[in-house]
Amino acid sequence: MTADLAHPADLAHPADLVLPAGRVTPDGPRPSVPRRTTVLHLSDVHATAVASLYGVVDGITRMRAASDYARAAGLEPDAIVISGDLIERGNAAAYPALRDALLELEDSWGVPVLSVLGNHDERAAARILPGHRASVGAHAEDASPRAVRVGAWRFVLLDSSTGSLGAEQLAWLDAELRLPASTSTSTSTGTGSSSSLAPSGTVVVMHHPPLGSPLPMLARAGLRDAADFLDIVEGTDVRAILCGHFHHPLSATMRGVHVSAGPALAYHQVMDAEPGTVSGFDRSMFSLVHLGADGVSASSVGVEHPAPLFTLTPAPTTSQPSPVSS
């Protein structure tokens, strides 16, 4: 489902208005302030067809658990983004169940669920997923980049399942970004321009980060044609790049653009594994991304938590919080 999620704008208080000359006035119209856009960023589901991954990891169940956690926490996402490795390699038979789960997510939240492919995915088999149908005349194994509007933002969805974007996809991206999201008017699903007016700018979603991990074994595991990608992105209206792949959170600024590599739903990377090894432990995480007029933030959230040591609630007679035993 492609959605245009218009929200009532929050209004600034008149006392907060400062005129160019520095004079504060309560008079005159209140200018609208763009509403913050919230993205539930999931990554690295690694769904399997029969047996659980490593005997314990059911990727689709963990995706549903992250959704339940977000709902219980009172989060209100404007979109759900899933940045690749939707299945575990060799488990293409998991795509039908994954399709049903993605449609279920979209229906239950009432917001777009936008997914891209990772190096464990299979392009031809993934065509049954929402938003992954091949463009007219395209081969089933071709990448199918697309642009989707979510509220005031353009989301550009790229396929790095081969480890790189490749010349054709980079050319498409260059053409897409030359039409700023604030002025483009038509729908884009791989060959055209962006879907509609999106004055806040562009968010790029792909699986591979355009840089390496700090872990020695993953230092060269980022996007292979990152330099070419960043040459295209630099100086455009791209505000954020959301990705995954490393199975640990990572934030960076590349060519002036915020990069957030989200943690994995399937398992978390052991950060102190000895040189020459990679290791994962059983922890499921996602990211909460906030897109605002003044910046982008990303917070990593664990789906499971131990019991709290304490809980703070407002005291009955004061606005100051006081500890309450849990």
Side-chain angles (χ1 to χ4, degrees), residues 206-265:
M206 59 187 180
H207 183 61
H208 291 75
L211 73 164
S213 164
L215 292 176
M217 284 295 290
L218 300 176
R220 298 180 181 275
L223 187 72
R224 287 201 298 269
D225 47 4
D228 294 332
F229 165 76
L230 291 170
D231 284 345
I232 292 170
V233 165
E234 186 175 12
T236 67
D237 68 355
V238 173
R239 296 276 308 282
I241 300 165
L242 304 183
C243 40
H245 188 52
F246 291 152
H247 286 240
H248 68 74
L250 181 149
S251 293
T253 301
M254 305 292 290
R255 310 282 185 96
V257 179
H258 175 87
V259 178
S260 175
L265 287 175

Side-chain angles (χ1 to χ4, degrees), residues 138-162:
H139 189 275
E141 293 291 348
D142 291 342
S144 295
R146 57 195 174 108
V148 176
R149 176 188 169 177
V150 178
W153 295 85
R154 169 176 57 182
F155 280 67
V156 170
L157 309 172
L158 302 176
D159 182 340
S160 68
S161 57
T162 63

Side-chain angles (χ1 to χ4, degrees), residues 156-219:
V156 170
L157 309 172
L158 302 176
D159 182 340
S160 68
S161 57
T162 63
S164 61
L165 296 173
E168 290 186 8
Q169 203 169 184
L170 287 171
W172 176 88
L173 176 64
D174 188 35
E176 175 66 31
L177 295 181
R178 287 178 185 275
L179 255 180
S182 58
T183 59
S184 46
T185 57
S186 61
T187 300
S188 176
T189 54
T191 56
S193 57
S194 184
S195 54
S196 52
L197 189 67
S200 291
T202 296
V203 177
V204 173
V205 182
M206 59 187 180
H207 183 61
H208 291 75
L211 73 164
S213 164
L215 292 176
M217 284 295 290
L218 300 176

